[in-house]
Amino acid sequence: MIQDGLRMMLMRWDPIGVADNLDGADEYVCMIGPLLRLLQSGATTVEITGWLASELDEHFGLAAVPKSDQRFAVELLLWWAANAEAREV
């Protein structure tokens, strides 16, 4: 399922540092729906990077890390393109 793949990517990126904690597995669930909507709408790297920075600030209380946020946005777009067939099923 595409949501599971996105959750795994978020856990690997792990901006709040919970990947090593079993209790942290659900910390990024709030990001899955909005990110999927951004990806489905054809959002750009800049738009996704901006959303990530805003979400980290407003929801998690973390300062943006522009290079990390942008790198993750690029990874998301590459992942989205690579999984086009899975989304059609």
Side-chain angles (χ1 to χ4, degrees):
M1 186 186 294
I2 204 78
Q3 291 90 346
D4 294 335
L6 182 50
R7 181 190 310 240
M8 288 174 52
M9 289 190 68
L10 287 163
M11 289 299 286
R12 279 195 301 270
W13 179 46
D14 195 27
I16 63 173
V18 296
D20 292 335
N21 182 345
L22 293 177
D23 294 331
D26 291 333
E27 287 296 320
Y28 301 119
V29 169
C30 61
M31 298 177 79
I32 292 173
L35 281 171
L36 286 175
R37 285 189 288 282
L38 282 167
L39 292 165
Q40 289 168 339
S41 73
T44 65
T45 302
V46 171
E47 292 168 326
I48 295 171
T49 301
W51 183 87
L52 291 169
S54 176
E55 182 70 4
L56 290 175
D57 175 45
E58 294 173 16
H59 185 83
F60 296 103
L62 297 175
V65 181
K67 287 185 180 183
S68 174
D69 299 345
Q70 183 178 27
R71 186 171 40 251
F72 185 60
V74 169
E75 289 175 21
L76 284 171
L77 289 169
L78 292 171
W79 169 80
W80 186 251
N83 286 281
E85 290 182 20
R87 294 191 318 269
E88 294 174 8
V89 175

